[in-house]
Amino acid sequence: MAEKKTWEKFFDAHAPVYEDNVFTKNTFREVDFLLEELALQPGDSVLDVGCGTGRHSIELAKRGYAVTGLDLSSEMLARAAYAASAAGVNVGWIHADATRFILPRKYDCAICLCEGSFGLLGQGDDPIDQPLSILCNISRSLKPQAKAVLTVLNATAMIRRHTNKDIAEGRFDPLTLVESSECPPREGLPAIAVRERAFIPTELHLLFRLAGMSVLNMWGGTAGNWGRRDLDLDEIEIMIVARKIAEPSAAGGVEQHA
Ligand SMILES: C[S@@+](CC[C@H](N)C(=O)[O-])C[C@H]1O[C@@H](n2cnc3c(N)ncnc32)[C@H](O)[C@@H]1O
């Protein structure tokens, strides 16, 4: 069996306390927001990449959508499956790495929220290939013209938190916008070394284009505080609303829809 990736180890151990995080408490209103943005038809299909404990997946399923949740952490998924059955809803759960998945069907929309994989780098992950492969996999899983909503870390806020001392001591790399830290997954457990990548809006436009998607909107989208507000330098997360406009090719780049 392949060795677990860093974030898999982290979230397997973090799973029992994940929903104690304050930023998870707004799920009902977040789903209202998503439904306004995505303009879905009753019964449409939703792919939730990095679904975690399934809070958005389950709320969407309760409202009648056909949801598939995909995550790297079997412990997060186990909690998601338990919560779905307690809520009496049917959700498909897939244990997979967002950088590698291929699904047999196409979805009416995708969500990837609170860095649901995007920019959560394994120790060996390339800071450009990791997010690009996730976007290409999401794009390949979407029907033509389908929308996606992602929230990702904002580089300006990350840069403002760091100093040249952090660069010298390896806590922040200004060339890749990667923050390295040691974080215990829950109280009493030893810290795990993790890497998180932040993004600037222009490179997000480029990455989405390379994956065959066009960015429709970008807003301040910090977890627990979504709104259609202009991005500022201190916003922790950026929300991106995008539409699939072309098929990503196997080699990267795109093939235009006929
Ligand atoms: C902060 S949680 C967000 C969960 C959920 N989207 C939410 O909004 O509550 C990040 C999730 O991404 C998952 N994840 C991290 N790297 C991943 C990868 N490469 N592929 C799939 N899931 C990944 C983690 O296991 C975790 O469940």
Side-chain angles (χ1 to χ4, degrees):
M1 180 126 104
E3 202 197 328
K4 283 187 183 180
K5 281 183 120 173
T6 322
W7 284 108
E8 186 177 4
K9 283 186 206 156
F10 182 91
F11 278 104
D12 276 354
H14 186 62
V17 295
Y18 179 70
E19 295 215 359
D20 296 344
N21 288 300
V22 176
F23 66 79
T24 63
K25 303 297 180 194
N26 254 344
T27 306
F28 191 87
R29 282 178 37 208
E30 286 174 359
V31 169
D32 287 345
F33 184 101
L34 290 171
L35 291 175
E36 280 173 33
E37 278 311 313
L38 293 165
L40 296 174
Q41 300 300 311
D44 270 358
S45 54
V46 183
L47 175 63
D48 184 358
V49 175
C51 62
T53 51
R55 60 195 186 97
H56 298 108
S57 291
I58 292 165
E59 184 55 36
L60 284 162
K62 281 187 193 170
R63 298 190 199 191
Y65 299 97
V67 189
T68 301
L70 178 151
D71 204 280
L72 185 63
S73 162
S74 52
E75 290 299 324
M76 294 290 271
L77 285 173
R79 275 164 177 77
Y82 182 83
S85 84
V89 291
N90 216 352
V91 177
W93 304 111
I94 299 177
H95 184 212
D97 185 337
T99 63
R100 289 161 196 268
F101 73 90
I102 300 173
L103 299 177
R105 58 174 292 191
K106 306 271 186 201
Y107 290 81
D108 294 301
C109 75
I111 54 177
C112 180
L113 303 169
C114 282
E115 296 82 66
S117 69
F118 197 84
L120 298 183
L121 304 184
Q123 290 307 328
D125 282 344
D126 179 271
I128 294 174
D129 291 345
Q130 196 265 10
L132 182 57
S133 59
I134 292 170
L135 284 184
C136 286
N137 294 340
I138 289 176
S139 183
R140 281 187 199 103
S141 308
L142 290 175
K143 295 178 184 170
Q145 302 300 317
K147 282 182 166 181
V149 178
L150 286 82
T151 56
V152 312
L153 290 175
N154 179 16
T156 58
M158 186 181 275
I159 290 165
R160 276 153 85 93
R161 276 202 304 278
H162 287 291
T163 61
N164 284 333
K165 188 164 183 270
D166 292 327
I167 297 174
E169 294 176 359
R171 287 185 289 276
F172 177 63
D173 180 355
L175 298 182
T176 56
L177 305 174
V178 173
E179 184 177 71
S180 300
S181 60
E182 302 247 318
C183 195
R186 62 174 201 267
E187 217 176 291
L189 293 183
I192 294 180
V194 291
R195 297 167 73 218
E196 288 174 274
R197 160 92 149 89
F199 297 86
I200 56 170
T202 44
E203 67 163 335
L204 287 168
H205 274 278
L206 182 57
L207 287 167
F208 275 77
R209 268 186 221 172
L210 289 170
M213 288 191 272
S214 169
V215 172
L216 305 175
N217 277 306
M218 265 191 211
W219 292 300
T222 298
N225 184 24
W226 288 1
R228 293 175 185 85
R229 58 181 178 276
D230 289 344
L231 188 62
D232 73 24
L233 299 175
D234 297 310
E235 191 81 51
I236 305 294
E237 287 168 287
I238 303 173
M239 173 176 285
I240 306 122
V241 183
R243 187 188 293 289
K244 177 173 178 173
I245 53 165
E247 209 56 52
S249 75
V254 295
E255 288 155 16
Q256 295 301 325
H257 287 145

